[in-house]
Amino acid sequence: MELLPLVWTNLMRNKLRTILTTLSVFVALFLFVLLHGITDTLTASTQVASERRLVTRNKISLVFPLPMSQYEKIKAVPGVSAVSWSNWFGGQDPVDSRGFFAQFAVDAKTYFPLYASDIEIAQASPAPAGTPVPPGVDPKLAAFMNQRDACVVGEKLLLKRGWKLGQTIHLNGTIYPGSWPYVIRAVYRPKIKALDAETMFFHWDYLYEKSNRQAQVGIFIFSLADPSQAATIGKRVDAMFENSSNATHTETERAFQAGFVSMFGNIPFVIQVIGLAVAFSIFLVAAVTMMMAIRERTNEFAVLKTLGFGDGSVFLMVLAEAGAITLTGGLAGSLLAKFLLERTGLMVPGFSTMIVRWDTVLLGIGVAVLMGAFSGLLPAWQASRLKIVDALRKVG
């Protein structure tokens, strides 16, 4: 414990240098954890997808639609407990054309029961008492279910856009041209943090009718009575349409979501490399700083050894100084990156709100510890190996 006051005194000897070095480590680890947060978000978006649900899309590409006639055939497959469908809309907000958010036309009476365990209705417009809703649909959605141009939006999307429940909004169609009005009748909140909260859902029937019956199905989603039969049932569904003009590809929802992540290619790897490069560059800065500090205090080490401090004590003292700088900066940078990202609600476009896992934070702190150890190792070894006579001679 007698070394701690000396460590503190030495760190405060040149306050500006200590502060700047700590800030350098802070920025490096903040960026390191921030960049890793992107890969954490992409990974989490696949892990929250269900293995109990399968997704059927066009075998050629997701951009090609499927005919509605396939619905009844899929529904009749043994082991399939419920089927729904959705279609990407691709509209733009005329107020903010660059502000991307996803919009899906869904068969509401079958779609929302499929995801009842994943989302909850946080707000909803009131409906007249006794207004019917289909079986399995949350009664809060009564107003939405009974209005053709109604929509359900994510809680974060509502706040981000400054919308209000009951407000009429307009989107400019891209795939389906024209101005499309919608009335916000409900707001959903994900029960799982990694799920997207910035998506809009509306009635597929509305899209079908307003597009002059041009809309088709983008994907079919269906749940299974026994998830262990996913591979078998998926092959059975694809076999039914194998020789048709609309051949299908069926996979678990998790695999389907992972396909979107794979579109990023090697970007997650590049991000990790950049994070490590930033950390390594700051490691070099910290090492040079410690070398300079030790060289300036050669005479003091001679005095300490004269007073009875052994080589091991000097070694630990210098190493502790390096560790204190890097650990302080790394701890602050890693924790701030996590809380700042998750509190501000930033999101990876097309995916969920960004998250930073605790193991990523611990990795950042671990990198800071290694930076302190390796940046202080050589200076500590040199200081411990100094001979009193040689050190005093250099002073003179």
Side-chain angles (χ1 to χ4, degrees), residues 108-110 113 131-139 141-142 145-146 203:
K109 64 181 181 295
T110 56
T131 302
V133 295
V137 175
D138 191 328
L141 290 174
M145 295 300 301
N146 288 276
H203 293 286

Side-chain angles (χ1 to χ4, degrees), residues 125-335:
S125 294
T131 302
V133 295
V137 175
D138 191 328
K140 295 178 182 178
L141 290 174
F144 164 75
M145 295 300 301
N146 288 276
Q147 183 174 347
R148 187 56 58 92
D149 61 350
C151 68
V152 178
V153 301
E155 192 173 43
K156 288 189 177 180
L157 179 62
L158 185 82
L159 295 174
K160 186 176 181 179
R161 296 277 169 173
W163 294 337
K164 295 180 180 179
L165 189 67
Q167 177 181 346
T168 299
I169 61 174
H170 290 81
L171 296 180
N172 292 331
T174 53
I175 303 173
Y176 305 96
S179 178
W180 294 72
Y182 300 93
V183 181
I184 301 173
R185 287 302 181 198
V187 179
Y188 78 87
R189 177 188 300 140
K191 294 181 181 179
I192 304 172
K193 190 174 184 178
L195 285 174
D196 179 35
E198 297 192 32
T199 298
M200 185 183 90
F201 301 100
F202 64 96
H203 293 286
W204 186 86
D205 289 343
Y206 178 57
L207 175 65
Y208 184 70
E209 293 174 3
K210 200 171 186 301
S211 65
N212 296 320
R213 302 177 182 269
Q214 296 298 312
Q216 289 182 284
V217 174
I219 58 172
F220 289 105
I221 312 106
F222 51 98
S223 58
L224 306 176
D226 182 4
S228 65
Q229 297 297 312
T232 301
I233 294 175
K235 291 178 181 178
R236 189 175 299 166
V237 169
D238 291 339
M240 290 192 302
F241 311 112
E242 186 175 3
N243 297 318
S244 71
S245 58
N246 293 286
T248 61
H249 175 72
T250 303
E251 57 193 343
T252 63
E253 189 179 60
R254 182 170 295 180
F256 178 76
Q257 188 71 9
F260 284 97
V261 175
S262 66
M263 293 179 184
F264 282 78
N266 290 326
I267 290 180
F269 173 75
V270 172
I271 288 173
Q272 293 180 358
V273 170
I274 293 174
L276 288 173
V278 171
F280 181 74
S281 63
I282 300 303
F283 154 70
L284 295 179
V285 171
V288 170
T289 300
M290 289 305 302
M291 292 289 290
M292 293 173 58
I294 298 308
R295 182 171 297 181
E296 293 173 357
R297 291 157 45 201
T298 302
N299 61 328
E300 295 180 12
F301 292 126
V303 173
L304 288 174
K305 290 190 174 186
T306 302
L307 295 175
F309 283 80
D311 293 345
S313 298
V314 173
F315 181 90
L316 290 175
M317 182 180 65
V318 175
L319 199 61
E321 292 176 24
I325 292 174
T326 58
L327 185 58
T328 301
L331 188 65
S334 300
L335 291 175

